[in-house]
Every structure is written in C-alpha cells, then in structure tokens.
Amino acid sequence: MGSEKNPCPFVPGQSESDWKSWASWYGSAMPFGSPLRALQSLARLALPLVLLTGFSAMAQSQEVPRAREMKRRRVSLSVATADKPVELHVAPDYLTALEFDSPVDRNAVALEDSGGRLALFEVNGRSVVLKPALELGPGRSVELTIPFADGAAPSRVVFSLVTRPSEVDTQVMVARLPRTAEAIQAELDEVRAACSAKDAELEALRVRTVASGPAGMIFAGLLDKRGVKAESPESLLSQGGSDLVARDVVTYLSSGWGAVALRVRNTGSDAWTPVEARLSMATSGERINVLAVRMKEPRIEPGGAALVVVETGAPNWPSGAVLRLELRDSAGGQRLLIPRFAF
C-alpha cells in the first residue's frame, strides 16, 4: 500500500513539496496543459456562477413590499342597515381614525377578542382611533361595535376590521341617517321661516321688475298722486373705513317704496363692492326692511367713485325720522357708516 501513488496528492495543510507534487499531477493529468492554465480555466468556469448568484441576491434585496394606498371614506348609516357590518380596512403602522357626527357611548364600545392584535385603541366622545399590531391575515376579521349615546336611530354601528395588501382606511367620517323626528321637524320649521322671508323679498323684487319707468310704477301701485319726495340731508357725516367717503346723498320717498342714493368714493388701494345694507332707526335701533343694494359698476376701483342705491319697501317710519345706514362688503372688512340722516 505504501507504494501506491495518491491520485490527488494535495491535501490542505501539507508541505510545499506536496504542493509541487499536486501541480505536477494536474499538469500531466488534465487537458489544460499547465497548472496555471488549469487555474485560469477553472476561474472562467466559476465566474458566470458568481455573477448569477450576485444578480439573484440583488433581485431579492430589491423586492420591497408596496406601500398601501391611504384612503378617506364617508359612511352613511340607516336603520335598515344598522346591524350589517361595515368593512373597515386597517393595517399595522397605520392609524385609522373614525369620526362620528353623534356622541359615542364610550363605556359600551365592544371589541371582539383581538388576541393582542391591536397596538392602539382609544375611544373618545365622538371618535375612535386604532392601530393593529400585526396583520390580521387573509379571511380573518375583528368585529367592533360602537353604540351611540343619544338614543336616536340607528342606535349603533358595527365594523368588520380586515387587512388588505393594497389599501388602508386612515380617516372615516360616519353620519347617521335618518335623524330623530324632533330634529327633522325643528330644521324644517327653520327652513320654512327662512323661505317665507325670502318669498316676501322676491315678491317685492318682482313688483319692481315689472315697474319699468313711470307707467310701470303706476301700474304696480308704486307711484300715486302723492308722487315722489326727494331730499338732500344736511350735515351729513360718513364714518367707518377711512378709505370710503359718502357724498351727494339723496333720499326718495313715495307711498310704496323708499330709496337712498349716495355717491361713494374709494380712496383706498383695494376695490370695494357693497353687497349688504343695514338701515335702522337711529334712536331705537329698529330695523327697516332693505330690498336691494344696487350699483351700475361691478365694483368701485381704487381712486374711483360710483353711485350706490339702497331700496326699501313701503316706508314704516314717520316722515323726517332720523335713520342710520351701514354698507358692507362680502367679507365685512370694509364698511361705510352714516350714523344719522333725516329721511
């Protein structure tokens, strides 16, 4: 056995003579011609494998999970669907906030056994905030029941918490429909009162629209044998925004209508448009019904002036009464006040 030759005499850890023996063996046994060529050929064979392994590792490192799309939702509740669970998409590392238009019965909120799957769960007077600690998994859900504290219908809402890989509900606004009969009746009465007031204003405007020129005013009953009385109040002093000045005020009075015409100069740097007029008795503060505020121009430019006409209904104040007039723009930032003038 000692005379047999080792077919591959090199073993790691052997001496330099063993290395030379190994190189001589490979040089004669392999078809590469020399030990150096053998090593070069082996390197060429191994290179594609190394590159393939590297590319595979890079591809695996680039496989990053897609972020979920964060969504805002509105949920409307009804008596018919009160006990039908509303699907709610939740996910770890995302907060989901539920906002209610009615007070929540905090002590009666019930969460199905979550098994520690929620990292955050806070219940407030009109909101619930939650965040899962981990994925609920495909086909898994957690039921959340939220009763309301006001006794109106529907009395509660049920959510089914699930996770979806593509989206998560971050803000959900919950509205209850229908409301109580008392609340609906109160709102209806308020709307009817507002509509009645508007109907009266529209009727007065309709009459004035029909009354075009002296003949139209006579047909509409806005001009009778008493005619129209025009006056220019004396000792007029306008107040309010320093950028607005009133000049050339004239009052017009008939049996069926009244009007105040004044030329307003804008000395400021911003355009101004009067959209609201408040006319009242200077002493008692009693309001006088104003039908319209009219101006030919769409606005009074800086440095410009325009004629503003305030129309009223039939005069319900005594002749020569002292009135107060205030003109405002839509924002209420600039106003023109005439505290006292005879009408």
Side-chain angles (χ1 to χ4, degrees):
M1 294 179 62
S3 62
E4 294 181 358
K5 291 186 178 180
N6 188 350
C8 183
F10 173 70
V11 177
Q14 288 187 345
S15 63
E16 182 179 357
S17 61
D18 294 328
W19 158 253
K20 293 179 178 179
S21 176
W22 175 83
S24 176
W25 182 84
Y26 267 92
S28 60
M30 299 187 67
F32 300 109
S34 68
L36 180 58
R37 291 184 179 178
L39 292 176
Q40 292 175 342
S41 299
L42 290 174
R44 286 195 297 270
L45 292 174
L47 181 58
L49 181 60
V50 172
L51 293 176
L52 181 61
T53 304
F55 291 148
S56 177
M58 290 175 61
Q60 292 178 0
S61 64
Q62 292 176 356
E63 291 179 357
V64 180
R66 291 178 56 189
R68 288 179 166 91
E69 180 183 2
M70 295 184 291
K71 290 192 172 183
R72 299 175 61 186
R73 294 173 53 194
R74 290 184 179 272
V75 175
S76 297
L77 306 179
S78 65
V79 177
T81 61
D83 293 327
K84 183 178 180 181
V86 179
E87 187 172 280
L88 187 65
H89 302 155
V90 298
D93 302 325
Y94 291 89
L95 285 176
T96 296
L98 306 174
E99 301 178 22
F100 303 89
D101 63 351
S102 306
V104 171
D105 188 354
R106 300 174 59 181
N107 297 326
V109 174
L111 178 66
E112 189 182 42
D113 182 17
S114 61
R117 290 190 289 264
L118 292 183
L120 176 65
F121 185 62
E122 294 183 357
V123 181
N124 301 303
R126 289 178 179 264
S127 64
V128 174
V129 181
L130 56 90
K131 181 175 73 171
L134 46 83
E135 299 282 349
L136 300 180
R140 304 291 299 273
S141 65
V142 175
E143 191 168 276
L144 172 63
T145 303
I146 302 178
F148 297 102
D150 57 4
S155 61
R156 65 174 186 169
V157 58
V158 180
F159 291 98
S160 178
L161 310 184
V162 299
T163 55
R164 293 288 183 266
S166 59
E167 63 185 35
V168 58
D169 296 327
T170 55
Q171 184 180 16
V172 181
M173 304 181 70
V174 183
R176 299 167 71 197
L177 296 174
R179 291 160 292 173
T180 60
E182 292 79 5
I184 295 175
Q185 185 62 47
E187 183 175 345
L188 181 59
D189 293 340
E190 183 179 350
V191 171
R192 284 175 175 171
C195 289
S196 298
K198 293 297 181 183
D199 287 342
E201 293 182 12
L202 289 174
E203 178 61 21
L205 291 175
R206 185 190 66 79
V207 172
R208 275 161 175 74
T209 302
V210 173
S212 176
M217 295 181 69
I218 294 173
F219 291 144
L222 299 176
L223 187 63
D224 58 13
K225 62 183 180 180
R226 294 171 56 185
V228 178
K229 180 181 178 181
E231 297 284 349
S232 295
E234 298 179 357
S235 303
L236 186 69
L237 177 64
S238 62
Q239 299 178 357
S242 58
D243 297 337
L244 303 172
V245 181
R247 292 287 185 269
D248 305 327
V249 178
V250 179
T251 61
Y252 299 88
L253 189 63
S254 76
S255 59
W257 57 274
V260 180
L262 63 157
R263 182 165 296 277
V264 179
R265 176 168 294 279
N266 182 5
T267 62
S269 58
D270 297 324
W272 185 71
T273 302
V275 297
E276 180 186 6
R278 297 184 180 182
L279 189 63
S280 60
M281 303 290 291
T283 54
S284 64
E286 180 183 355
R287 294 287 293 271
I288 296 173
N289 185 29
V290 174
L291 298 179
V293 181
R294 301 185 183 277
M295 191 170 63
K296 286 184 177 180
E297 298 79 0
R299 57 191 168 272
I300 306 177
E301 299 293 344
L307 185 65
V308 180
V309 178
V310 178
E311 297 183 12
T312 74
N316 58 353
W317 61 91
S319 177
V322 178
L323 304 186
R324 178 182 185 273
L325 176 63
E326 181 181 359
L327 297 175
R328 294 189 175 191
D329 59 9
S330 59
Q334 284 279 11
R335 68 187 186 117
L336 175 64
L337 174 63
I338 302 177
R340 298 177 64 86
F341 69 99
F343 197 165

